[in-house]
């Protein structure tokens, strides 16, 4: 396989990773959390959330790793690092920031702090904890969708 084929493979992996990752975030934000918030039994709500979110967590970790590695490969192969110096490539800054936020949350904050903290908050006041969780997911999803929109348009030559 030549350089061009590896670059195409990296882009395929990158886009596929983003689809799985941000698509999962969209599902959790727009379907899972709202459905759980309608569950009246607070213990059942928390148990179900931890079970389902735990399964998605592995997918999110794998897809953020694939997305980060393929993005780095494309930047390096295309020698595109200088794009970070130009404001018209704001979408690259945002893509990288979204990736960094999710990577920090998934690999550091969630396992070391957020999982235990959220569990404690949900036991104290389930409704308030799930409202907070929903708002955080809505913010991250919104930021992610702006990054996707900007990246698709910008990568295809649209100048903002």
């Amino acid at each position: 396989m030549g350089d061009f084929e590896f670059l195409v493979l990296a882009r395929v992996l990158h886009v596929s990773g983003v689809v799985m990752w941000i698509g999962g975030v969209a599902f959790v934000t727009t379907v899972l959390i709202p459905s759980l918030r309608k569950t009246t039994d607070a213990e059942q709500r928390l148990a179900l959330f931890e079970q389902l979110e735990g399964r998605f967590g592995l997918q999110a970790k794998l897809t953020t790793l694939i997305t980060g590695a393929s993005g780095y490969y494309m930047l390096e192969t295309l020698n595109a690092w200088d794009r970070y110096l130009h404001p018209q490539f704001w979408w690259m800054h945002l893509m990288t920031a979204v990736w960094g936020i999710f990577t920090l949350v998934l690999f550091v904050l969630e396992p070391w702090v957020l999982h235990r903290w959220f569990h404690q908050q949900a036991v104290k006041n389930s409704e308030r904890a799930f409202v907070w969780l929903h708002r955080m997911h809505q913010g991250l999803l919104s930021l992610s969708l702006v990054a996707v929109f900007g990246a698709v348009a910008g990568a295809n030559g649209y100048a903002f």
Side-chain angles (χ1 to χ4, degrees):
M1 230 201 260
D3 289 345
F4 178 74
E5 287 85 5
F6 278 120
L7 187 61
V8 170
L9 178 60
R11 183 163 288 173
V12 166
L13 289 172
H14 194 75
V15 171
S16 298
V18 169
V19 167
M20 291 294 293
W21 162 30
I22 303 305
V25 173
F27 173 78
V28 168
T29 305
T30 62
V31 177
L32 179 62
I33 296 172
S35 296
L36 290 172
R37 288 183 62 196
K38 291 180 181 176
T39 303
T40 55
D41 183 339
E43 286 180 24
Q44 182 185 12
R45 177 188 304 153
L46 180 58
L48 189 55
F49 172 74
E50 288 180 341
Q51 177 187 5
L52 296 173
E53 183 77 359
R55 292 184 63 103
F56 173 64
L58 178 61
Q59 174 187 321
K61 286 176 181 173
L62 288 173
T63 56
T64 55
L65 288 175
I66 290 167
T67 301
S70 58
Y72 176 83
Y73 178 83
M74 289 187 293
L75 280 167
E76 191 65 31
T77 301
L78 295 171
N79 194 23
W81 294 103
D82 66 324
R83 291 182 181 183
Y84 285 106
L85 302 174
H86 304 287
Q88 69 263 32
F89 294 106
W90 63 268
W91 49 271
M92 287 185 63
H93 298 89
L94 186 56
M95 267 193 325
T96 305
V98 166
W99 178 84
I101 291 166
F102 273 97
T103 300
L104 179 65
V105 168
L106 290 169
F107 290 97
V108 178
L109 296 177
E110 201 280 330
W112 293 98
V113 178
L114 291 177
H115 181 79
R116 182 175 42 252
W117 179 83
F118 179 76
H119 186 91
Q120 291 169 347
Q121 297 306 307
V123 168
K124 284 183 200 174
N125 185 332
S126 182
E127 184 57 34
R128 188 173 64 201
F130 275 87
V131 166
W132 176 85
L133 180 72
H134 198 200
R135 286 187 183 144
M136 292 302 105
H137 275 80
Q138 288 171 326
L140 289 171
L141 177 60
S142 298
L143 199 60
S144 299
L145 291 175
V146 171
V148 167
F149 174 85
V152 171
N156 286 288
Y158 186 82
F160 292 93

